Amino acid sequence: MTAKVTLSFADDTIADARRFAKREGLSLSAWMDQAAREKALREVFAAHAAAVGRAGLDLESASLADAQEVGMVDDLLFGGPSRAA
């Protein structure tokens, strides 16, 4: 379902939006919908990243440690570097 709303934008903002919409072959409404959705997703992902940080989780280090462990097991089982890559 689509909701019709009235919004106000700065002249420069709406001019840029129209130009970008045209460049991408979209209507202004479709481009604005996409832009708003992308902004909302960035906010959600940023909030998630902040929550992970506050929880003290270090996902990158855990991932690197997992990869190192896979390599060590591969070395033990197959006598050589990991073939997973």
Side-chain angles (χ1 to χ4, degrees), residues 7-21 28-29 31-32:
L7 302 169
S8 298
F9 295 95
D11 291 339
D12 290 346
T13 301
I14 202 67
D16 289 342
R18 284 187 173 121
R19 188 175 70 253
F20 295 137
L28 179 60
S29 292
W31 191 88
M32 295 296 278

Side-chain angles (χ1 to χ4, degrees), residues 3 17 26 31 55 57 60 70-71:
L26 298 172
W31 191 88
L57 302 176
E60 184 176 2
V70 166

